[in-house]
Amino acid sequence: TTFKKVCATCHGTKGEGNSELKAPSIAGLPSWYVIEQIEKFKKGYRGFHHEDIPGIQMRAISLAITDEQLKGSAQEIEKLEPILTPIIEGGNVKRGRQIFAESCKNCHRYTGSGERAFHSAPLVSLGTQYLKRQLENYANGWRGHLVEDFYGNKMHKVSTGLSDQDITDLVRYIGELAHGDDPRKAMNW
């Protein structure tokens, strides 16, 4: 299959990712999300900035994948057991929870599991380095700055207001969320 021949080379046979290659865990990502993201690479919405080396590599790979191969791979990826975002040291959990509650939960849901209606990724199965890098990519305009990329542009606008410390706190919190924290604590519900 295309997953085994192409995707697993960087993302691992279980979709576990490879931090040395900057390949995120993709295990358990919904097929609709995988297809949408590969389409964004193909259209040049992702992987266009000269400093986004992993994105450029992924864009090149996406251009060689047929629609049929993409659909089959996305279905295989969805069936893989998700790997929860780890809890990392550093960062302020309380502040990260507040940022998540104010800026993320409406689209990514309070569970961090994503929402097809909002085209939002499940965050709680993405690695911490990947989350940090993508938030930085959005903030820097390396991802999501194109008006045609409606949902990416929304992330770009949300991320541009985040400081480096905010991103650290948020990534720390997503690990906590993956392991059972409830962001509604920040909203006094």
Side-chain angles (χ1 to χ4, degrees):
T1 67
T2 301
F3 173 78
K4 289 178 183 169
K5 291 178 183 174
V6 179
C7 309
T9 302
C10 296
H11 294 281
T13 58
K14 296 179 183 175
E16 71 275 14
N18 183 331
S19 60
E20 289 178 22
L21 298 175
K22 294 186 168 65
S25 169
I26 55 174
L29 287 176
S31 60
W32 65 264
Y33 185 75
V34 173
I35 291 168
E36 187 173 287
Q37 294 310 303
I38 297 301
E39 289 298 325
K40 286 186 178 194
F41 280 113
K42 286 183 176 197
K43 291 178 182 175
Y45 294 178
R46 293 189 64 181
F48 62 85
H49 195 277
H50 69 278
E51 290 189 49
D52 180 14
I53 303 304
I56 291 169
Q57 292 169 331
M58 193 62 212
R59 180 155 195 268
I61 292 165
S62 75
L63 295 171
I65 298 173
T66 67
D67 290 345
E68 185 178 309
Q69 291 170 323
L70 174 56
K71 184 178 177 186
S73 295
Q75 289 170 344
E76 282 188 63
I77 290 165
E78 185 173 67
K79 292 176 187 173
L80 296 171
E81 186 67 32
I83 299 164
L84 297 178
T85 303
I87 296 173
I88 58 170
E89 296 293 320
N92 181 318
V93 174
K94 186 176 180 182
R95 177 81 177 108
R97 182 185 299 120
Q98 188 70 37
I99 294 167
F100 185 88
E102 292 172 0
S103 302
C104 309
K105 76 169 180 50
N106 288 341
C107 293
H108 293 278
R109 312 321 280 161
Y110 78 90
T111 59
S113 58
E115 176 64 53
R116 186 173 190 168
F118 300 120
H119 301 259
S120 62
L123 302 176
V124 294
S125 62
L126 297 173
T128 55
Q129 291 302 316
Y130 179 77
L131 286 167
K132 182 179 185 308
R133 189 170 67 250
Q134 293 312 304
L135 285 167
E136 290 169 348
N137 284 354
Y138 279 121
N140 293 329
W142 298 1
R143 180 175 177 188
H145 84 288
L146 299 172
V147 176
E148 302 86 359
D149 181 8
F150 179 79
Y151 296 101
N153 195 256
K154 193 173 177 182
M155 272 300 301
H156 170 62
K157 289 176 181 170
V158 169
S159 300
T160 54
L162 298 175
S163 68
D164 289 344
Q165 187 61 53
D166 290 340
I167 291 173
T168 298
D169 295 345
L170 185 55
V171 169
R172 165 66 192 267
Y173 177 69
I174 292 169
E176 298 287 340
L177 179 64
H179 296 276
D181 193 83
D182 189 333
R184 293 175 292 186
K185 294 176 188 176
M187 304 306 284
N188 297 318
W189 292 347

